[in-house]
Amino acid sequence: MFRVEQQSLSRRQLLQSFTEISSTANYDNIFFIQDAKKITLLSTMAPAAVIAPSILSADFGSLGKECSDTIGHGADWLHVDIMDGHFVPNITFGAPVVTKIRSHVDRPKEAFGKGTFDCHMMIAEPKKWVKEFQKAGCDLYCFHYEAAINSTAAESPEATSDEKTNPKELVKYIHSLGMRAGVAIKPGTSVDVLFDILDNPDKDAVPDMALVMTVEPGFGGQKFMPEMMPKVQELRKRYPELNIEVDGGLSEKTIDTAADAGANVIVAGSAVFGAQSPADVIAKLREAVNSRR
Ligand SMILES: O=C(CO)[C@@H](O)[C@H](O)COP(=O)(O)O
């Protein structure tokens, strides 16, 4: 008869026999299925910190160099804010600029590796631009739930469609083009909308990351909204291994609140690009997250 058991004292020794487990595993969150003969590991560890500076706060006059310098300062990913002036009241840049800056940063060697371009698509028609951004070198295409459900399912800027975009189908489409997928929610959107998307038994349709906005999307340098933390806590409770990204107002002052709630992917624009030592800020943000694993 199988039973699920949470080990206490012997947990660490037990885990050391699983050679594939890293020595930094969070031993508190590990569950096993155990019977007389065998013990099977069910769940490993909370995901490690990922620091993703938002290049919205970089010097756009030398964006390529800003990107390579930021990776050199220890950033894991670059958070690339794409704004269309419709979904948000600001405009940044499109795929041609992403193509140019991509050549300044080595492509990640593995999924979610160093150099990942985390494209945060604050655009009204997310399905239309998937192929363009894939060609430009985007690794992780993160669209807004609110934009998807209010937009059409046309697959290119030239195409038209009356059909509405289904977020699950959009995730599948992004995956089919070899990218990772993220789904973002604005401050006014309930976290509940993500559960149906994340609980899908069709794994191709399940996003690789959830982004909880901690400011209204559109501009850098805004004040962090701690009232968004219950959304992060709920996601972390339900999905211990999910990449949960927070974006807006993250700094050395607010990181503890976000890390306590369970966020592991930290976007920071003005805090990194406005710092005397971006490397120190990146290291402190990372330490705050990893110290809670
Ligand atoms: O998506 C956005 C704004 O819409 C963010 O990525 C900001 O660029 C973050 O900037 P800071 O709040 O960290 O300065």
Side-chain angles (χ1 to χ4, degrees):
M1 181 71 176
F2 283 104
R3 65 202 160 98
V4 176
E5 187 166 297
Q6 194 174 358
Q7 299 281 332
S8 55
L9 270 181
S10 61
R11 198 181 300 166
R12 181 178 292 266
Q13 294 142 324
L14 190 58
L15 266 173
Q16 277 160 356
S17 67
F18 289 86
T19 48
E20 73 272 24
I21 302 299
S22 130
S23 57
T24 57
N26 176 358
Y27 296 100
D28 296 334
N29 287 329
I30 299 195
F31 295 87
F32 304 92
I33 291 179
Q34 179 174 11
D35 72 3
K37 291 203 184 111
K38 139 178 127 162
I39 298 167
T40 309
L41 185 65
L42 277 188
S43 154
T44 57
M45 53 185 147
V50 173
I51 309 303
S54 160
I55 62 170
L56 186 62
S57 296
D59 175 359
F60 277 19
S62 45
L63 203 47
K65 182 173 182 316
E66 290 272 84
C67 289
S68 53
D69 285 354
T70 304
I71 291 291
H73 292 320
D76 300 291
W77 301 355
L78 291 176
H79 184 82
V80 181
D81 282 316
I82 308 298
M83 304 187 189
D84 66 353
H86 293 282
F87 182 70
V88 288
N90 197 3
I91 298 177
T92 54
F93 48 79
V97 172
V98 175
T99 304
K100 287 287 179 198
I101 59 176
R102 181 75 270 184
S103 65
H104 290 256
V105 177
D106 290 342
R107 294 302 296 258
K109 293 196 173 49
E110 73 278 350
F112 298 120
K114 192 170 176 79
T116 290
F117 269 30
D118 164 27
C119 293
H120 177 192
M121 307 305 294
M122 287 167 273
I123 61 174
E125 296 280 355
K127 189 161 184 188
K128 276 192 179 176
W129 299 94
V130 175
K131 280 187 188 146
E132 297 276 331
F133 278 79
Q134 188 263 345
K135 281 190 239 147
C138 166
D139 303 294
L140 169 56
Y141 189 98
C142 183
F143 65 88
H144 268 267
Y145 170 84
E146 306 85 356
I149 59 167
N150 290 308
S151 66
T152 67
E155 287 193 10
S156 72
E158 308 80 40
T160 55
S161 165
D162 291 334
E163 199 192 318
K164 288 288 178 196
T165 305
N166 177 325
K168 296 180 198 174
E169 292 302 319
L170 182 49
V171 169
K172 255 182 139 152
Y173 178 53
I174 295 165
H175 283 159
S176 75
L177 292 176
M179 291 183 287
R180 307 287 148 172
V183 183
I185 51 171
K186 289 164 75 169
T189 303
S190 164
V191 70
D192 296 9
V193 302
L194 295 177
F195 301 153
D196 179 48
I197 301 173
L198 288 161
D199 291 338
N200 195 335
D202 178 358
K203 293 299 166 217
D204 279 351
V206 176
D208 307 283
M209 185 181 80
L211 163 53
V212 174
M213 288 304 297
T214 47
V215 296
E216 283 300 337
F219 300 92
Q222 301 183 72
K223 194 168 171 293
F224 177 74
M225 298 168 77
E227 62 272 31
M228 295 301 119
M229 291 305 99
K231 294 187 194 181
V232 175
Q233 284 162 347
E234 183 67 22
L235 283 169
R236 181 56 72 220
K237 203 168 95 198
R238 293 175 66 123
Y239 310 103
E241 295 178 18
L242 179 67
N243 275 311
I244 303 176
E245 183 173 63
V246 283
D247 178 10
L250 272 303
S251 70
E252 288 167 76
K253 291 196 178 119
T254 55
I255 186 63
D256 287 334
T257 307
D260 278 342
N264 73 299
V265 184
I266 310 299
V267 176
S270 43
V272 169
F273 286 96
Q276 288 224 313
S277 170
D280 283 353
V281 175
I282 290 168
K284 283 177 185 157
L285 298 175
R286 184 188 309 289
E287 173 54 22
V289 173
N290 283 344
S291 66
R292 285 153 171 95
R293 293 181 74 209

